[in-house]
Amino acid sequence: MMGGGQQQGPPPAKDQLYLNGERVSGAEVRTQNVTAALSVANVVKTSLGPIGLDKMLVDDLGEVTITNDGATILAQLEVEHPAARVLVQLSEMQDKEVGDGTTSVVILASELLKRANELVKNQIHPTSIMSGYRLAMKESVKFIKSHIATKTQTLGRDVSFNIAKTTLSSKIFGRESEFFANLAVDAMNMVQSENPETGKKIYPIKSVGIIKQHGKSFKDSQLINGYVMYGGRAGQGMPRTIKNAKIALLDIDLRKSKMAMGVQVVVTDPKKLEDIRQKEADITRDRIKLLLDAGANVILTTKGIDDMAIKYFVEAGALAVRRVKKEDLRRIAKLSGGQMMITFADMDGNESFNPEMLGSADEVIEERIADDDHLIIKGGKTTAAASVLLRGANMHMLDEIERSLHDALCAIKRALESASVVPGGGCVESALSVHLENFATSLASREQLAIAEFAQSLLVIPKQLSVNAAQDASEMVAKLRASHNAAQTDATKADMCHYGMDCISGKIQNNLAAGIIEPALSKVKMIQFATEAAITVLRIDDMIKLAPDEEGQ
């Protein structure tokens, strides 16, 4: 036995854990995890920022996705390594919570891990690193809220426009970001509503439907006031527009009802056979009569409607649509205040339809957009809805525009609801880096080193931004840090705390004034999530992988 060191030679047999698998522990597992995390980050690294490049992903069926949305890229990768999977989930979380910043959160987390691993190699215990990281995270969030964030109440519509523009600038149509930023802002303003209890404004993203039709150029995309869904009238004789629509939402088949499987009827009298057929037809007729008597003039069902049923609707001048997607029905139910019906049966065993189940809207129109018929529902009773119709050259492009627009809508929603924004372009990260280094030197404990490393890690974002923009990273970061250091030490230069880089011209400028801004929530969450993920992976010091059972025993 060596004094205090590890045991030499093979360990005694009786202590050995008989594992059906392999066990990796200590420094080795940590290095493995960090390497895995870094390789995930390297995939998305080059897609950060306004001049980020796109990734082309081909799945096992040969489907191609071209995107530079961090969350989409990582969701498509089937990552085997458990620690790398933590990062993939991390970007999903950021996508759910904020909608934007999915790439930077992964890059930051992997950089934090890399630095932490270096510290561990220098004999600093993981626990002190973790507590240092946590301290740094709290301090960062505090600093963002107190020094960098700007309240948006004073900034008006421009703020949401600029936020959308910043988010969209890194996407496929970066040069045309203004056009889509306007679309996104108008869509969000259309669907805003107030929470009756708190009086706060809420912006439901789900109320903005996105429809993709290829053809024309993406400049021909438009915003439609109302909910748009695929699907035309079931029969040609039906009206194309219905004012003051009463909408019945059904999950019921309106075809001739057949006997259920396995039901046998023995008929002794051939005349009765005709009666049975007649009754089968009458059941559906009675159901349709129920609907029309209740006042419904727009009928949407997820199942089929056959010719006989269409005849009744045409006679009544109602508009019926079959094979509607369930999620469309749910949205329309929410929009029009109606309820989805699964069955007509009531408590007494008869069939009835309560008019209260009907939703109402000002107008329902069938329109032909591009090659397909669409139904547009305008002026729902309860909530407003807007739909964006995207046009573009091919489906890859449309999918990417849809993802980008979703990011922009999320960013606007977060900025307007949390009511504070921060300058983009590496501004927050460099300010925090300077602040945390000063903060670290004020601590006389072990965490000091971890916080200093955390400060260094934050610079990975401005570095990567400038690398992607083909600028000199070291020079850019040095300039940024100099201006933020001046802002934090010299009271006369306080406005320098909004300085960030302009990736296109490669200069340092006041990004708040230049309109390169992001929701403060996006940065706060990014730092919190990245730190938590780094800590999760850091805590692991042993990995036991069980061998799969051998079959054929």
Side-chain angles (χ1 to χ4, degrees):
M1 280 279 287
M2 305 262 297
Q6 273 138 348
Q7 287 180 335
Q8 296 297 315
K14 65 177 191 301
D15 283 354
Q16 200 165 3
L17 210 51
Y18 279 111
L19 278 177
N20 179 19
E22 49 181 313
R23 177 178 178 196
V24 188
S25 57
E28 198 180 333
V29 71
R30 227 173 247 122
T31 312
Q32 269 183 23
N33 288 346
V34 171
T35 319
L38 280 172
S39 58
V40 168
N42 284 339
V43 173
V44 291
K45 219 173 196 170
T46 48
S47 68
L48 179 73
I51 315 189
L53 306 171
D54 287 7
K55 307 277 173 243
M56 180 158 141
L57 307 160
V58 185
D59 66 8
D60 43 9
L61 301 173
E63 283 282 313
V64 180
T65 316
I66 300 176
T67 177
N68 73 5
D69 175 40
T72 313
I73 298 171
L74 293 179
Q76 296 266 348
L77 296 180
E78 287 176 7
V79 181
E80 285 287 313
H81 197 283
R85 217 173 288 149
V86 171
L87 287 194
V88 177
Q89 287 160 353
L90 167 75
S91 76
E92 278 171 24
M93 277 272 288
Q94 176 84 358
D95 201 30
K96 271 204 195 78
E97 287 275 323
V98 188
D100 192 24
T102 44
T103 315
S104 33
V105 75
V106 175
I107 295 177
L108 181 60
S110 69
E111 186 67 19
L112 285 172
L113 275 173
K114 186 171 114 190
R115 304 264 167 170
N117 196 32
E118 293 300 315
L119 284 177
V120 175
K121 283 182 184 162
N122 294 340
Q123 310 300 315
I124 290 169
H125 199 280
T127 313
S128 355
I129 300 174
M130 289 190 274
S131 58
Y133 274 6
R134 283 227 168 84
L135 255 176
M137 173 180 86
K138 286 197 182 110
E139 186 61 31
S140 309
V141 173
K142 208 162 79 188
F143 185 76
I144 290 181
K145 287 187 176 153
S146 63
H147 285 69
I148 311 177
T150 316
K151 284 275 170 257
T152 54
Q153 269 86 5
T154 50
L155 298 167
R157 178 193 151 110
D158 287 353
V159 85
S160 29
F161 174 68
N162 281 333
I163 282 204
K165 210 169 103 182
T166 308
T167 304
L168 292 170
S169 64
S170 64
K171 305 292 183 220
I172 193 165
F173 43 75
R175 301 275 173 272
E176 303 295 340
S177 54
E178 298 198 0
F179 173 73
F180 283 101
N182 270 322
L183 258 182
V185 175
D186 293 342
M188 280 322 247
N189 286 338
M190 267 183 197
V191 298
Q192 70 175 18
S193 57
E194 274 193 11
N195 185 342
E197 290 154 18
T198 56
K200 273 189 177 167
K201 284 194 172 162
I202 44 177
Y203 297 87
I205 298 256
K206 288 230 171 105
S207 301
V208 181
I210 296 182
I211 295 152
K212 299 174 290 198
Q213 274 291 358
H214 51 87
K216 295 199 174 176
S217 83
F218 56 76
K219 278 293 201 52
D220 292 312
S221 305
Q222 67 201 66
L223 183 64
I224 298 168
N225 188 358
Y227 187 81
V228 181
M229 61 174 221
Y230 286 115
R233 305 162 297 172
Q236 287 303 310
M238 296 179 180
R240 273 181 181 273
T241 50
I242 286 190
K243 295 259 195 299
N244 295 333
K246 295 272 175 283
I247 307 174
L249 307 160
L250 310 177
D251 190 5
I252 305 171
D253 213 344
L254 291 179
R255 288 180 294 194
K256 213 157 80 172
S257 50
K258 297 189 177 68
M259 299 250 173
M261 294 287 283
V263 175
Q264 284 185 339
V265 180
V266 180
V267 181
T268 47
D269 182 355
K271 292 198 184 71
K272 288 283 195 304
L273 201 60
E274 195 46 51
D275 294 350
I276 291 178
R277 288 208 183 109
Q278 189 55 42
K279 180 63 187 164
E280 282 185 346
D282 287 354
I283 290 177
T284 308
R285 191 196 64 195
D286 294 344
R287 286 184 171 173
I288 292 170
K289 205 164 173 333
L290 279 176
L291 285 174
L292 296 172
D293 290 350
N297 50 16
V298 176
I299 293 93
L300 307 176
T301 175
T302 55
K303 306 271 173 56
I305 301 178
D306 65 4
D307 294 346
M308 184 191 78
I310 291 175
K311 185 185 77 178
Y312 292 122
F313 287 131
V314 172
E315 281 167 9
L319 194 158
V321 182
R322 55 187 164 195
R323 310 271 175 229
V324 180
K325 286 197 188 107
K326 260 205 180 138
E327 58 183 281
D328 276 338
L329 269 196
R330 286 197 196 102
R331 296 252 178 101
I332 293 169
K334 198 173 168 194
L335 178 84
S336 59
Q339 265 181 340
M340 209 159 117
M341 297 279 294
I342 300 172
T343 167
F344 284 125
D346 57 13
M347 294 304 189
D348 311 331
N350 303 323
E351 296 202 330
S352 63
F353 184 80
N354 184 350
E356 286 174 12
M357 297 290 197
L358 292 173
S360 57
D362 297 344
E363 195 174 15
V364 174
I365 313 171
E366 184 200 76
E367 249 187 50
R368 200 170 180 80
I369 304 175
D371 304 338
D372 297 315
D373 291 328
H374 290 73
L375 208 64
I376 304 178
I377 296 171
K378 292 190 173 175
K381 185 174 81 175
T382 45
T383 53
S387 293
V388 180
L389 171 70
L390 297 177
R391 307 302 304 266
N394 52 27
M395 275 328 258
H396 301 311
M397 202 133 133
L398 285 171
D399 289 340
E400 176 62 357
I401 295 178
E402 180 188 16
R403 281 188 288 267
S404 319
L405 201 61
H406 180 259
D407 279 6
L409 292 172
C410 290
I412 296 174
K413 169 188 163 83
R414 294 294 173 215
L416 292 176
E417 285 181 7
S418 65
S420 60
V421 295
V422 295
C427 161
V428 179
E429 290 84 354
S430 13
L432 283 176
S433 162
V434 173
H435 173 71
L436 287 175
E437 278 185 357
N438 298 337
F439 174 67
T441 42
S442 67
L443 289 177
S445 63
R446 287 211 200 118
E447 281 89 14
Q448 182 180 0
L449 287 162
I451 293 176
E453 289 298 326
F454 190 98
Q456 283 296 311
S457 307
L458 282 167
L459 291 177
V460 71
I461 305 270
K463 271 183 199 152
Q464 197 56 47
L465 274 175
S466 41
V467 168
N468 290 355
Q471 308 290 350
D472 180 350
S474 322
E475 189 187 347
M476 291 288 270
V477 172
K479 280 186 193 165
L480 269 177
R481 293 194 49 179
S483 41
H484 283 288
N485 191 32
Q488 289 173 28
T489 47
D490 184 350
T492 53
K493 295 186 178 160
D495 67 329
M496 282 182 126
C497 71
H498 295 146
Y499 274 37
M501 59 177 137
D502 175 11
C503 292
I504 296 161
S505 66
K507 294 191 178 67
I508 304 286
Q509 59 177 15
N510 184 339
N511 274 352
L512 193 62
I516 300 180
I517 46 179
E518 303 178 59
L521 189 82
S522 159
K523 288 289 178 212
V524 170
K525 290 274 185 216
M526 175 188 102
I527 291 171
Q528 284 173 335
F529 287 159
T531 316
E532 286 301 331
I535 288 175
T536 311
V537 177
L538 252 187
R539 295 182 94 127
I540 303 169
D541 77 329
D542 212 328
M543 183 167 93
I544 298 172
K545 203 172 187 178
L546 297 181
D549 291 341
E550 287 179 14
E551 292 191 6
Q553 292 291 325

